[in-house]
Amino acid sequence: MKTTIGQYLLDRLKAYDIEHIFGVPGDYNLGFLDFIEDDKDLQWIGNCNELNAAYAVDGYGRIRPMSALVTTFGVGELSAINGIAGSYAESVPVVKIVGMPSRNVSENKKLVHHTLGDGEFLKFYNMYKEITVAQTILNKQNAKEEIDRVLRECYLQKKPVYIGIPVDVPNIEIEVSASIDYKPESDKKILNKFIDDVKKELEKSKSQTVLADYEVNRYKLNKELQDFIEKSNLPIASLSMGKGVFNENHKNFIGMYNGILSDDTVTSVIKNSDCILLIGVKLTDSITAGFNYIHKDCSISTIEIHPLYSKIGKKIYNDILMEDVLKELANNIKFNGNIKHDDKDIKSTDLSGKLTQSNFFNVIEKNLIPKDVLIAEQGTSFFGSEAIKLPENVTFVGQPLWGSIGYTFGSLLGTCLADQNRRNILLIGDGSLQLTAQELSTMLREDLNPIIIVINNDGYTVERYIHGPKRKYNDINMWNYTQLLDVFDVTLHRESLKFKASTVEELNKALSTSRKNSSKLSLIEVSMDKNDAPIALKEMGKLFSSQNNY
């Protein structure tokens, strides 16, 4: 059958469960945006700027199988590049679509706007090569095959891809047949060899423990992980980048691993294990106390299981899928794990009076319910949230590897739209909010209902604990945050909720009212001392300060 290139691209995006496309209009993408707006199965989400749009698709892609962003050439795509780099670093499947000048313009090297004035039209495309796993520029001859190839790589590798679509291309008709979705398969021979070698490794081991992280979330293999743990009866800890990867109320869950900053339970279990299974784990500095591990010697053996390969020590086993590895390990290997640990609640019982970083996160924990989405900005919010015990099926979103401040406010827009049956709770500091606050306008326009908690502690607390606690560069201008709802809603009259809280009682009341008014956006400004911070952040600040030689 015949269709246009623009429509074929949209049809393939819809096949990957995309219902919303984010971005900013520009004259090189307007023709393609017509296709989006005219498609009854898609909704265009116009953002306030391209960087916020890139953050939004990152959030969307953590909930849905894939997400898509459209910008114009040059100025638009470079404005978004920081957000796309974050998606690459943290393995989020994002399709970056760029409306480009016509082929006649580029082939004749015309000095048009949004270029560098040198007649070169591939410089920005080449920049994106470093932060995408597949790239293409569409034309009549390659469109169908290239669209299928690039989207397949995005879905398989869970990382961004780049599609350039010149302004004269979307309306071109092409002949298409039914697309065949590629499903990867494990190499059975390599898989069997890996299982045999795991058995040999375990013959030397007396006790094993599992550390699980974000790659399990990206490939939606949480059920397979839980089945493996229940059959193996191994103790499991998660890392903060993948917090919530495993049910934190399960009897085998021992807590959060954070290197030498881990609690006594996790530290004890890890110390008594001579073999660690790393499932979907990348050991970065911000989730391992600056690479300060509990085991400081090389006596402990490691078995790594990643989505598309596995590893024992330094030996790599390519072309075997995590899904298959977990099933084989669960059904064919006997493990020895020690899951005896104290199940004591060591939370502070002082849940009254002035809000502090300590009791704030206790209040948040007590107000979470199953299936919420909890989003925590890098800084006090993220490090404080590490200690929260999540109810079952709560999704946790943070960005500890890329760590771009302001990310979570844009991401919140994406996570809200990805599943509008779930309540989203954002914890964000005042300094971070000021980078991306204008996206509140888009949330109001789309009539979304998150609970936004702004921690007003007068500046960059996380930076103060790394260096320059009294330096001017860690200060920010004070805003009246609750009044932003009025600034960004002149005609819609969404009847949003706004609160200010400086005590536990005020915060509990604000959260209770927000829950009862589940259809309304709620903004809660929480005041805390600027020198107050979660213990984990204080300790991490010291380690980062040392790591940076301050």
Side-chain angles (χ1 to χ4, degrees):
M1 68 172 191
K2 284 194 172 184
T3 187
T4 61
I5 291 175
Q7 190 59 51
Y8 184 74
L9 174 54
L10 296 184
D11 290 342
R12 294 304 295 145
L13 292 175
K14 290 185 289 186
Y16 287 100
D17 198 29
I18 289 175
E19 295 182 293
H20 304 83
I21 297 181
F22 300 81
V24 177
D27 64 332
Y28 294 132
N29 66 26
L30 297 176
F32 181 59
L33 297 192
D34 287 342
F35 282 90
I36 298 173
E37 190 165 313
D38 293 342
D39 192 309
K40 61 181 177 59
D41 298 317
L42 289 172
Q43 184 177 350
W44 168 251
I45 306 296
N47 296 92
C48 296
N49 61 56
E50 292 88 353
L51 176 59
N52 286 355
Y55 291 155
V57 291
D58 185 289
Y60 195 90
R62 292 177 188 235
I63 306 293
R64 292 286 184 106
M66 196 181 289
S67 60
L69 163 67
V70 180
T71 72
T72 196
F73 181 75
V75 292
E77 59 186 317
L78 293 193
S79 180
I81 200 166
N82 172 50
I84 301 301
S87 297
Y88 184 90
E90 302 212 352
S91 299
V92 182
V94 172
V95 183
K96 177 67 181 70
I97 302 168
V98 178
M100 305 180 76
S102 71
R103 290 168 293 171
N104 181 63
V105 165
S106 60
E107 287 165 8
N108 285 288
K109 298 182 179 298
K110 293 184 177 180
L111 305 184
V112 297
H113 61 284
H114 296 341
T115 71
L116 299 176
D118 56 5
E120 298 294 331
F121 287 82
L122 292 180
K123 287 188 174 180
F124 313 129
Y125 171 89
N126 288 330
M127 291 179 189
Y128 267 89
K129 281 185 176 180
E130 299 297 327
I131 54 168
T132 56
V133 293
Q135 312 83 28
T136 191
I137 298 175
L138 302 180
N139 58 48
K140 181 179 177 66
Q141 284 70 37
N142 74 4
K144 180 187 182 303
E145 290 74 16
E146 282 294 275
I147 290 170
D148 289 351
R149 175 186 70 85
V150 170
L151 295 187
R152 184 171 61 243
E153 288 301 309
C154 183
Y155 183 76
L156 177 65
Q157 298 193 49
K158 310 300 182 192
K159 286 184 181 289
V161 295
Y162 180 104
I163 296 177
I165 183 164
V167 70
D168 58 327
V169 165
N171 288 288
I172 295 175
E173 281 197 341
I174 55 173
E175 187 74 33
V176 298
S177 55
S179 295
I180 300 175
D181 292 327
Y182 169 72
K183 179 171 173 51
E185 296 181 353
S186 293
D187 185 306
K188 298 296 184 183
K189 184 177 180 180
I190 297 174
L191 178 59
N192 292 336
K193 173 61 174 170
F194 174 73
I195 297 300
D196 288 342
D197 289 350
V198 169
K199 290 178 180 177
K200 293 175 184 176
E201 193 72 16
L202 294 181
E203 288 174 0
K204 303 176 287 184
S205 170
K206 294 181 180 180
S207 180
Q208 304 92 43
T209 298
V210 172
L211 299 182
D213 203 28
Y214 76 105
E215 288 181 341
V216 177
N217 284 336
R218 299 295 186 270
Y219 284 79
K220 308 294 190 287
L221 295 174
N222 307 79
K223 184 180 183 302
E224 286 78 2
L225 174 63
Q226 181 158 328
D227 290 344
F228 166 65
I229 293 299
E230 291 180 347
K231 288 184 178 180
S232 66
N233 201 34
L234 287 172
I236 178 172
S238 62
L239 290 91
S240 59
M241 196 163 163
K243 184 174 172 60
V245 67
F246 188 81
N247 179 5
E248 297 187 358
N249 296 283
H250 195 281
K251 66 180 180 66
N252 290 62
F253 184 74
I254 58 173
M256 300 295 299
Y257 178 85
N258 190 13
I260 60 173
L261 299 182
S262 304
D263 66 26
D264 292 341
T265 297
V266 174
T267 299
S268 175
V269 174
I270 297 292
K271 280 186 174 180
N272 289 316
S273 300
D274 54 18
C275 179
I276 304 294
L277 281 76
L278 302 166
I279 303 179
V281 172
K282 279 188 177 179
L283 296 171
T284 67
D285 61 348
S286 58
I287 63 174
T288 61
F291 306 117
N292 288 286
Y293 307 112
I294 293 172
H295 280 276
K296 297 184 181 297
D297 54 37
C298 299
S299 62
I300 191 168
S301 65
T302 58
I303 299 170
E304 297 183 37
I305 301 167
H306 296 282
L308 305 177
Y309 72 96
S310 291
K311 190 175 178 182
I312 300 175
K314 294 184 178 181
K315 184 175 181 180
I316 297 175
Y317 302 76
N318 288 307
D319 302 320
I320 57 177
L321 307 180
M322 180 185 289
E323 179 178 3
D324 296 328
V325 170
L326 290 176
K327 290 177 181 177
E328 289 294 320
L329 290 176
N331 295 326
N332 296 304
I333 293 183
K334 179 175 174 58
F335 291 88
N336 298 306
N338 175 16
I339 59 170
K340 295 179 182 178
H341 62 276
D342 294 330
D343 195 23
K344 294 183 295 186
D345 186 359
I346 57 174
K347 303 287 185 185
S348 169
T349 58
D350 181 19
L351 290 183
S352 63
K354 181 182 176 181
L355 276 173
T356 65
Q357 290 285 341
S358 176
N359 59 29
F360 170 76
F361 290 99
N362 289 341
V363 172
I364 298 300
E365 178 177 311
K366 293 181 184 301
N367 281 276
L368 291 175
I369 62 174
K371 296 187 178 180
D372 279 343
V373 179
L374 178 64
I375 307 161
E377 179 69 28
Q378 196 67 12
T380 57
S381 297
F382 185 86
F383 287 100
S385 295
E386 286 182 348
I388 289 177
K389 192 173 187 179
L390 299 178
E392 191 170 6
N393 296 321
V394 168
T395 297
F396 180 77
V397 176
Q399 201 190 47
L401 177 54
W402 189 240
S404 184
I405 64 170
Y407 154 79
T408 58
F409 203 73
S411 178
L412 173 67
L413 172 65
T415 59
C416 284
L417 287 166
D419 188 345
Q420 296 187 54
N421 293 317
R422 304 173 70 181
R423 199 75 191 268
N424 285 243
I425 299 96
L426 170 65
L427 311 179
I428 186 168
D430 49 356
S432 296
L433 177 69
Q434 290 195 8
L435 274 77
T436 48
Q438 62 270 58
E439 219 55 45
L440 179 60
S441 171
T442 313
M443 295 176 204
L444 291 165
R445 187 192 67 214
E446 299 301 326
D447 201 16
L448 301 175
N449 67 338
I451 300 173
I452 300 168
I453 302 177
V454 182
I455 301 174
N456 184 344
N457 52 8
D458 198 16
Y460 300 123
T461 298
V462 60
E463 311 294 2
R464 296 189 203 279
Y465 274 95
I466 296 173
H467 186 69
K470 296 183 179 180
R471 289 287 186 176
K472 187 176 180 180
Y473 50 66
N474 284 325
D475 296 336
I476 61 171
N477 187 36
M478 184 64 68
W479 291 5
N480 193 329
Y481 295 99
T482 56
Q483 289 190 11
L484 291 175
L485 291 167
D486 301 320
V487 171
F488 290 123
D489 187 2
V490 175
T491 60
L492 297 173
H493 305 299
R494 293 298 188 193
E495 297 183 356
S496 303
L497 305 175
K498 54 186 176 182
F499 309 90
K500 290 189 177 185
S502 58
T503 67
V504 168
E505 291 81 5
E506 290 170 341
L507 179 57
N508 273 320
K509 183 178 179 181
L511 289 168
S512 175
T513 304
S514 300
R515 286 290 188 188
K516 290 174 183 176
N517 293 272
S518 58
S519 64
K520 295 182 179 180
L521 184 149
S522 176
L523 194 154
I524 306 171
E525 180 183 345
V526 170
S527 297
M528 280 187 268
D529 187 86
K530 73 179 186 179
N531 294 316
D532 190 10
I535 294 174
L537 186 145
K538 292 179 180 179
E539 295 301 318
M540 187 65 75
K542 294 176 185 176
L543 294 168
F544 279 1
S545 180
S546 176
Q547 180 176 295
N548 294 338
N549 294 316
Y550 287 131

